[in-house]
């Protein structure tokens, strides 16, 4: 049997070994090459990128919130200022079980059920805000206690925040307004206006009133601070700092003491008052009663207080002076009288015979005067002093609605005045074109008659009435009403000033103006509808009373105020200015459901003017309704209510 013996081929094995070695070496070389390429990419090509990331980890950029500008009245009384306090804030995105965290926090810092509700509400409204406060205004003891336990609460921190305070509370609340926490809608608006960057770190902004309308001036410019941090994110040192620029201060035209006197004069009644300086447009007082405490809104109002304000039958959040719409009633008559004179439809000495009613030609319907049997012969002067309706029925018919509209609109009625706070209502001054556009109906002659005494479709705001009165008092000079008199920098240097020139001047015959002025002065004297309010005045006091219907009364029925629910009674109005020969103040007063202008509204005007012109403070905080009222005022518009026009 033959056996074959295989001999090893060393040359082959050596060849294979060298081949494997070459492949391994090539593979290793490839790996090193790839590593080198990656190293080159990271260290050379992407150096700037990763250097920036590294610096970002090392350097923290924090916004510095600017101090909000202060708000003063014309005499330097502070109406809004700032103070600093500590807040306990949670970053929801860094928290797992939020409820458990809050429960643990209560063992260190007191957190009430109200705090929890407010925090949940803030989370719903501010989903894009990084940190939200669970507690504000911490005491030093609470700050120290949390600092000692901070390691237990990642995602929770204490911050020093500026807070807004309104030291006068309810007084002038509708003027000053308030700031509130920035919500998602605010963020969207800021982003659309390209202002979001300037609000980094800010948690509040103006919501209504001056705080809202002058937000850009009050907010200031946010600063930046670059800080070096360690691996744990703790600050080591400040690298650079761009300081914030504080918001500008605002000096209002408002006289706070006058505002206070005016608000107290209303007592517990609802209403509005606007007082304007005719020569500048400065708003001296701007009242809407009842008011509210703006401090409740700064940190986000709690549910209980919100429901009390929002559901109140007295509507304290409604700015009656700015948005309240009411028929002007007989306060419209001075402008009608001037229209009749200027358009040559009446002369001061021309008289009409008042039988106690007016009828359109060919009609048996009677538009009745407030006085049964009429006033006999009535000229323009008497028509204003005793508030004769028949005179203005006849005048309205002779003028026609479009002449009434074209003339009285020059005094700002039926349109916005342009005052420097948002939300103003336009009111309504009707015309033929308006009725066709709004109701798709032709204008009827009967519509004009009721407009002549400030009823019908007529609607105005207390602000518009005050503006129109100021234009009348200023002999046709119209200044835009404004609440901010000066914008000041942080050193109280004037940046901007308002009220230096009129918007326009009406071309009115001085003789016609004098005729109306003289009649309005006699309204406040014996025999006039505001004689009680004008009694004993140490200055010449001009005015006109008015009554605005709330509910209609059927023909044949008598309007009996005592039998009506208080909120169904007529509104009381009064416009006035003084001293009549050189007016320093013009105003309008509205008392909701106050009844008669001479009894409820005119006494408030007298209190305000006595203080402003004489420095005389009222003996009582509130002007109470006057029992002894002229028969003319007590019966005014009775017959018109029966016709559905009063």
């Amino acid at each position: 049997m033959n056996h074959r013996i295989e001999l090893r081929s060393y040359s082959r094995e050596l060849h294979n070994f060298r081949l494997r070695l070459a492949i391994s070496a090539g593979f290793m070389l490839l790996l090193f090459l790839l590593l080198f390429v990656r190293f080159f990419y990271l260290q050379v090509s992407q150096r700037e990128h990763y250097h920036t990331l590294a610096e970002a980890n090392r350097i923290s950029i924090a916004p510095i919130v600017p101090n909000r500008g202060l708000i003063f009245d014309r005499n330097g009384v502070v109406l809004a200022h700032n103070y600093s306090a500590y807040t306990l804030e949670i970053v929801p995105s860094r928290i797992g079980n939020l409820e458990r965290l809050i429960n643990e926090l209560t063992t260190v810092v007191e957190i009430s059920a109200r705090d929890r509700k407010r925090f949940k509400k803030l989370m719903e409204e501010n989903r894009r805000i990084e940190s939200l406060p669970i507690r504000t205004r911490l005491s030093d003891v609470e700050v120290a206690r949390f600092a000692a336990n901070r390691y237990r609460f990642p995602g929770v921190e204490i911050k020093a925040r500026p807070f807004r305070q309104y030291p006068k509370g309810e007084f002038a609340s509708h003027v000053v307004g308030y700031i509130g926490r920035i919500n998602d809608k605010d963020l969207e608006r800021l982003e659309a206006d390209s202002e979001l960057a300037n609000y980094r770190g800010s948690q509040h902004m103006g919501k209504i009133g001056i705080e809202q309308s002058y937000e850009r001036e009050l907010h200031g410019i946010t600063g930046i601070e670059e800080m070096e941090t360690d691996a744990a994110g703790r600050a080591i040192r400040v690298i650079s700092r761009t300081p914030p620029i504080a918001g500008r201060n605002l000096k209002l035209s408002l006289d706070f003491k006058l505002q206070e006197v005016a608000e107290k004069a209303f007592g517990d009644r609802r209403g509005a008052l606007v007082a304007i300086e005719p020569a500048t447009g400065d708003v001296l007082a701007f009242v809407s009663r009842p008011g509210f405490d703006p401090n409740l809104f700064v940190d986000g109002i709690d549910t209980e207080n919100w429901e009390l304000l929002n559901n109140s039958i007295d509507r304290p959040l409604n700015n009656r002076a700015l948005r309240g719409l009411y028929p002007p009633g007989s306060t419209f008559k001075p402008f009608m009288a001037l229209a009749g004179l200027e358009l040559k439809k009446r002369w001061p000495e021309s008289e009409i015979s008042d039988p106690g009613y007016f009828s359109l030609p060919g009609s048996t319907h009677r538009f009745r005067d407030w006085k049964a049997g009429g006033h006999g012969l009535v000229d323009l002067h008497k028509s204003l002093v005793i508030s004769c309706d028949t005179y203005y029925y006849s005048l309205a018919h002779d003028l026609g609605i479009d002449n009434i509209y074209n003339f009285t609109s020059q005094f700002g009625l039926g349109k916005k005045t342009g005052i420097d706070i948002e939300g103003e209502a336009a009111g309504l001054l009707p015309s033929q074109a308006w009725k066709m556009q709004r109701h798709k109906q032709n204008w009827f002659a009967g519509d004009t008659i009721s407009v002549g005494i400030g009823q019908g479709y007529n609607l105005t705001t207390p602000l518009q009435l005050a503006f129109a009165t100021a234009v009348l008092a200023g002999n046709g000079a119209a200044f835009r009403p404004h609440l901010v008199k000066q914008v000041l920098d942080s050193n109280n240097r004037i940046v901007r000033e308002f009220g230096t020139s009129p918007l326009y001047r009406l071309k009115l015959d001085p003789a016609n103006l004098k005729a109306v002025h003289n009649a309005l002065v006699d309204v406040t004297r014996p025999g006039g509808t505001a004689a009680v309010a004008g009694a004993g005045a140490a200055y010449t006091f001009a005015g006109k009373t008015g009554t605005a219907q709330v509910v209609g009364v059927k023909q044949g029925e008598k309007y009996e105020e005592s039998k009506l629910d208080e909120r169904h009674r007529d509104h009381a109005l009064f416009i006035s200015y003084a001293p009549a020969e050189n007016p320093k103040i013009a105003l309008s007063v509205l008392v909701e459901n106050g009844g008669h202008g001479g009894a409820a509204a005119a006494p408030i005007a007298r209190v305000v003017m006595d203080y402003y012109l004489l420095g005389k403070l009222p003996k009582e905080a509130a002007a109470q309704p006057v029992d002894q009222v002229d028969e003319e005022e007590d019966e005014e518009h009775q017959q018109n209510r029966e016709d559905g026009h009063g």
Side-chain angles (χ1 to χ4, degrees), residues 368-381:
R368 284 170 285 181
D369 195 281
W370 61 261
K371 184 178 181 180
H375 297 89
L377 293 177
V378 180
D379 61 9
L380 183 136
H381 186 92

Side-chain angles (χ1 to χ4, degrees), residues 278 338 410-411 468-479 502-508 513 517:
L338 193 56
Q410 297 178 99
F411 289 84
T469 305
V471 176
L472 181 63
N475 296 322
F479 288 82
L503 290 170
Y504 55 86
R505 291 183 185 273
L506 300 180
K507 294 181 179 180
L508 301 171
L513 282 167
H517 288 322

